[in-house]
Amino acid sequence: MIAALALLAGLVIGLVLHPTVPDGLQPYLPIMVVAALDAVFGGVRARLDGIFSDKVFVVSFISNVLVAALIVFLGDKLGVGSQLSTGVVVVLGLRIFGNAAAIRRHLFRA
Amino acid sequence: MTGPRFLPASLLASLLEDPLDPGYRAAATAPPDPPALRRTASAGRYLVLAAIGVVVAVAYHQTVTHAPEASKTRSRLVKEVRDRTARTDALNDRVEAERKQVAAQRTRSLAATDAGRRAAADLRTLELLGGYTAVRGPGLTVKVADGPGKPGGDPEEGRVLDRDLQDLVNGLWQAGAEAVAVNGRRITPTTTIRQAGGAVLVDFRPVFNPYTITAIGDRDQLEASFADSAVARRFRAWTQVYGMKFSARSAGGLSLPAGTENPPRYATGGRP
């Protein structure tokens, strides 16, 4: 589908051009990746549930990334950066697993 | 951000049971959006997917290029250590060669007079006792090695420490040794045996397990006196308890290298 192609195109562009990440953004890159994965899994599950909405998908991705980055940034300023970062990754990871389980139930009726 | 339209009774429970963003459910029941908004949102979907692809690729690329960074730095440091050690060794060899030249010159000029010849003989004895010339002779070879420790206990207990090597060297001096070396490093009056991290340093150079301590002196007397010494008895006990290795055998034709000379900076000669 076009969606998968868009994802693939993004991957190829990233691998071929490999844009250099500005030093200030480097610590937020892993958080952004996890937040992006959460949005993707949520979108796929919504699609399988039949209630997918583009608007919600776009907004959820942007807000996930921004909120996660904000939490980590705040944590860094307050001295609990690594703990909050772990917390964010744990929570988003839980959501990813939950959505993945729901997707699995859809796909394999198991 | 599309906030939750309800407050879950338990945050953790809701997280585990229903991780779907509640915005989807709300959007499903809400009236449909105007087509303009839907088109923008549709385009946004593809943009977001492409952005996700780029972010994932960049993160992967970062990890891949930075992982070798740590090992590259390490191998660079290792190489630097090796280079500097080689340079120091070369400088030491040069010092040794020049000292030999100076000694030869000195012997030649001292040989001219009787007093000079006596002084030269005294000097040779002092150098030998101080450990600044290579020596050959019969003596004792003591070998010790780390053991596995007590069965079921801490394996660190079986390690040979700098203290042990110091005691062994002192025991050999007491038994009548005239020259001692540890793993080929000659012990001079200013040589130290100490521990840094996991390695034992003799004269600030690391020596490794197993350790061979050679001493030159009267073969039989050395063997007998050393075997009776407190440190030898301790080590024999440790071979049983910690599984360490210990052996002391007399030998002939041992040769020990010269030790490195450290000219004194603060000690001045003269009357005490």
Side-chain angles (χ1 to χ4, degrees):
Chain A
M1 294 172 10
I2 315 180
L5 282 176
L7 192 60
L8 210 61
L11 277 171
V12 166
I13 292 175
L15 283 173
V16 164
L17 291 182
H18 41 85
T20 44
V21 180
D23 281 336
L25 281 185
Q26 274 205 12
Y28 303 106
L29 203 55
I31 293 291
M32 285 172 63
V33 170
V34 181
L37 282 177
D38 176 47
V40 166
F41 274 83
V44 173
R45 179 193 171 169
R47 170 61 120 192
L48 288 173
D49 274 347
I51 51 175
F52 181 76
S53 156
D54 289 329
K55 183 180 72 174
V56 175
F57 176 63
V58 171
V59 172
S60 81
F61 169 71
I62 293 176
S63 64
N64 267 1
V65 166
L66 282 180
V67 170
L70 185 70
I71 292 180
V72 172
F73 172 76
L74 210 63
D76 278 340
K77 292 293 170 236
L78 295 175
V80 286
S82 69
Q83 288 91 326
L84 273 183
S85 162
T86 309
V88 167
V89 169
V90 164
V91 167
L92 290 176
L94 279 174
R95 284 168 58 116
I96 292 175
F97 269 105
N99 283 330
I103 293 171
R104 180 201 73 208
R105 277 194 293 274
H106 272 292
L107 291 181
F108 301 114
R109 308 260 179 275
Chain B
M1 169 173 169
T2 50
R5 309 260 188 243
F6 53 89
L7 273 172
S10 154
L11 188 61
L12 207 58
S14 79
L15 207 61
L16 291 169
E17 288 162 18
D18 192 2
L20 188 60
D21 195 319
Y24 285 115
R25 210 155 283 128
T29 51
D33 296 316
L37 186 57
R38 258 183 298 164
R39 273 197 298 275
T40 334
S42 196
R45 165 166 41 123
Y46 298 123
L47 261 174
V48 162
L49 282 170
I52 292 178
V54 171
V55 164
V56 169
V58 167
Y60 168 77
H61 180 81
Q62 280 255 314
T63 323
V64 161
T65 49
H66 280 202
E69 207 49 41
S71 67
K72 260 190 271 177
T73 314
R74 188 178 169 273
S75 33
R76 207 161 29 94
L77 283 172
V78 168
K79 183 170 176 300
E80 219 179 296
V81 166
R82 289 219 177 101
D83 286 344
R84 296 299 171 93
T85 315
R87 251 188 72 196
T88 321
D89 281 339
L91 286 173
N92 268 342
D93 288 341
R94 231 185 92 190
V95 165
E96 188 57 33
E98 308 226 346
R99 268 193 17 144
K100 284 209 179 87
Q101 278 185 350
V102 166
Q105 248 337 33
R106 188 173 52 207
T107 319
R108 270 200 294 275
S109 22
L110 284 177
T113 65
D114 263 348
R117 278 193 288 272
R118 273 198 299 275
D122 285 342
L123 188 59
R124 267 199 300 278
T125 318
L126 285 172
E127 276 184 338
L128 190 144
L129 290 176
Y132 302 119
T133 47
V135 285
R136 266 197 317 271
L140 193 66
T141 308
V142 178
K143 293 205 172 101
V144 292
D146 291 343
K150 286 197 215 148
D154 187 1
E156 288 294 310
E157 283 185 333
R159 284 239 307 222
V160 174
L161 301 172
D162 54 347
R163 270 180 297 150
D164 302 326
L165 291 178
Q166 287 169 359
D167 289 341
L168 285 167
V169 169
N170 285 337
L172 286 166
W173 288 128
Q174 278 176 318
E178 291 169 356
V180 180
V182 176
N183 274 28
R185 299 230 168 275
R186 183 77 171 277
I187 307 291
T188 69
T190 53
T191 307
T192 54
I193 302 178
R194 43 186 287 252
Q195 194 128 3
V200 176
L201 303 174
V202 173
D203 201 21
F204 302 111
R205 309 285 290 279
V207 292
F208 304 107
N209 186 52
Y211 307 97
T212 308
I213 308 163
T214 34
I216 293 185
D218 183 326
R219 270 177 88 146
D220 304 314
Q221 195 223 328
L222 254 184
E223 193 173 7
S225 297
F226 183 71
D228 252 348
S229 68
V231 60
R233 270 179 277 154
R234 247 202 314 225
F235 260 91
R236 280 196 291 269
W238 287 344
T239 55
Q240 312 287 355
V241 178
Y242 299 110
M244 289 162 75
K245 312 256 190 316
F246 172 71
S247 77
R249 265 187 267 284
S250 75
L254 297 166
S255 81
L256 307 182
T260 44
E261 214 174 296
N262 281 322
R265 280 182 292 170
Y266 299 107
T268 49
R271 307 156 78 119

